[in-house]
Structures are given as C-alpha cells and as structure tokens.
Amino acid sequence: MLSSQPPLLESDSDEEHALLHVHDLPQLYQKPSSAALLQALSLLSFEPPSFSAQNVDGRHKVEEQGVPGYLTSVVSSSLGWIEDEDAKDSIWTAASARLSERAGRNAMPAMTRTFVINDQLSISLHEPSLTEDNLGLKTWTSSLLLAQRLAECRQYIREDCTRALELGSGTGLVGIAAACIWHTHVLLTDLPEIVPNLQQNLSQNQELISRLHGTVKARSLDWNDETDLPAHESEKYMVILAADPIYSPEHPRLLVATVRRWISWDQYARFIVELPLRERYEGERNDLRAHLRENGFGLVVEDTDTGYDDWQSRDGGLAEVKCWWSIWKPLVDL
C-alpha cells in the first residue's frame, strides 16, 4: 500500500530522488481507500512545466512505465468498494486529468504558469487550453529567452526611448518583461482572438508592472491589414520586439512590412527578434533576413541561445531548443 512507503521528498538519504514503481502504488485488487488512491494520483501529476532543465529531477515521483495502464484501469473501474460517490468522482476526475497530462500540451486544460526572468522578476501568465488554431495562447521557449535577454539588449537602445511595440505578443511574456526591465511603456499586439487572454495577463500582472515603473496596453494588429498604421510619424516606435513570429511562408514578408510601417525610420531605432531554429522553417528564416535587408535594415548583432522545450518527452526528459536572436536597425542616409 502507498501509505507504507517512506515520504519520498522528505528523505535525507542519497536515494531521496529515487522513483517509485507503478507496482508500489495502491492496486485495485487490494480495494484501497479513496484517500490512498487520491494520494497516489497526486504523485502522478505533472507540475506546470518551467522550460528549465534544472527542474527535471524530482518532477516525476513514479516511473512512467506502466503508469498509463494504471490510470486507465482506475478510470474504467467501478470502484465498487468505495461507498462515497463524491470520492469516486474525485478519483475518476484525477485519473482522467493525469491521462490528459500525458497526452501532450493539446490535451492539457487551461493553467497559470510562472516564468522566472531574473532574480528579481517572475511573471505569471494564464494559458488557455492549446489548439493548433491558437498557437498564440501558449508561451514558447524563444519568448522566455528573449525576455531574459532584454536587460542586455538595453545597451543597443537610446536612453531616452520611452515606448516599445511588440508584434505577435501571444501570452505577453516579452512585452510585460520589457515594461518591467526597461521601465517603459509597451504596446502589445496580436490577432483579435488572442487579445482577450493577452489582456487578462496584463491585468493579472498590473501591480508588478506598475511597481517597476512600466505601463502596458494591448490591442489587435493584423499584419495583413496595410491600412492599420500610425497616423503620424510621432506615433511610430523606436523599438519593436517579436518572439517566435514565423509559422508560414508568408510571415517573413508580412512581419517585415509591419515593422516597416510601425518603426521610426531613425538610425537609433531597433527591431529585436528571436525565433527557434526549427529545421522545417529554415527557408522562412532566410526569407526574414532577405526581406529585412531589402527593406533597408542592417544587422546590429546576432547570436544563438539554447533553451528547453517546456513539455517533457515520454521518457521524462526535456528537449533542447536552439534559438537565433538578432537586432536590426534602419539604414538611414545621413
């Protein structure tokens, strides 16, 4: 029975991170109590992922081998020896949730996750259940890496810059981080269907943003709409940010055209972008470079980052994600 196991996380021995086996869990033929089953199911939960390889150890308390079968048996069992109907419902609900967690991000319910930007800044974001049509509702690795790089990027931006624009803001991590780290105003933009959740995250972090002397605002901005542009030159931005903005062959052209419409054509203006080095999008990355150069932008600096996919593979490990970041400026004839 589970209750006979020593407390896994309270051990001071060298085996404190040893994993239980599925056979160590309460077995249905033993007719365990509802409390024992719920305790076992809590051990099988996946904590909200954090993009950090440092958090892999200890996230799993039970070896994955055999766990899906165990959960399926719980879901399909009548639990006839348990008299409390509410307890049965709780067990079935918990077991179903554990199965969903193992089915990948698309099967996961809505959640709130906290992202550590630096020692002084952590940002909590709400993420609705992910669908293929709403990729902007998930926080991606490149967004975290760019958010963590913003303090370094500040050296490439004029000190008197007080406004920034983010394109394809998604859940808002980069824009919120920029407002906090740069103590500035950031306009976060995305497609209309993404903006409600984006606005929720801005409201959720409003106290943090205000305390760090930043301000934020969200609005929809469709890159296909060439009529949506600043009314006056003074409304354009000296800094534009974008993280993981390319998912189709049309996106490089549309992104650069949007940047061109919204950026101040000034030698000190900057376009800062980061995106993962996905093999299938190599052509789009090359197109992005080409479109930037064709539209009068010059490269200031570039490099690569390495992060981790935030959802574990079936073996419990985290896959590395290599990203490319770069800063561009308008090539202005002086």
Side-chain angles (χ1 to χ4, degrees), residues 155-281:
Q155 65 182 302
Y156 300 100
I157 301 170
R158 283 180 60 123
E159 291 186 5
D160 59 356
C161 178
T162 59
R163 298 163 62 246
L165 169 69
E166 185 185 11
L167 301 176
S169 298
T171 59
L173 182 62
V174 173
I176 294 172
C180 293
I181 294 171
W182 293 346
H183 317 299
T184 192
H185 174 75
V186 181
L187 176 62
L188 295 87
T189 66
D190 213 308
L191 293 171
E193 59 268 27
I194 304 298
V195 170
N197 184 66
L198 175 59
Q199 185 63 63
Q200 176 179 338
N201 283 330
L202 298 189
S203 299
Q204 182 173 304
N205 288 278
Q206 187 58 60
E207 181 180 351
L208 170 68
I209 296 167
S210 298
R211 177 161 47 85
L212 294 175
H213 309 291
T215 59
V216 291
K217 185 177 180 180
R219 58 157 284 190
S220 62
L221 179 59
D222 188 339
W223 301 349
N224 284 292
D225 186 356
E226 297 181 1
T227 66
D228 191 352
L229 71 168
H232 305 286
E233 189 68 25
S234 61
E235 297 177 3
K236 294 185 177 182
Y237 288 82
M238 289 292 290
V239 177
I240 296 181
L241 299 159
D244 208 348
I246 295 176
Y247 289 94
S248 76
E250 296 79 21
H251 281 167
R253 175 183 58 82
L254 292 172
L255 173 62
V256 174
T258 304
V259 172
R260 191 66 175 82
R261 288 194 297 271
W262 284 84
I263 199 167
S264 296
W265 203 247
D266 184 291
Q267 62 175 326
Y268 297 109
R270 297 291 183 263
F271 171 50
I272 304 173
V273 60
E274 179 147 357
L275 62 160
L277 295 174
R278 300 187 184 101
E279 184 175 348
R280 62 180 293 191
Y281 289 106

Side-chain angles (χ1 to χ4, degrees), residues 100-112:
S100 294
E101 291 166 358
R102 285 159 173 80
R105 180 62 179 97
N106 285 7
M108 290 290 288
M111 64 177 64
T112 296

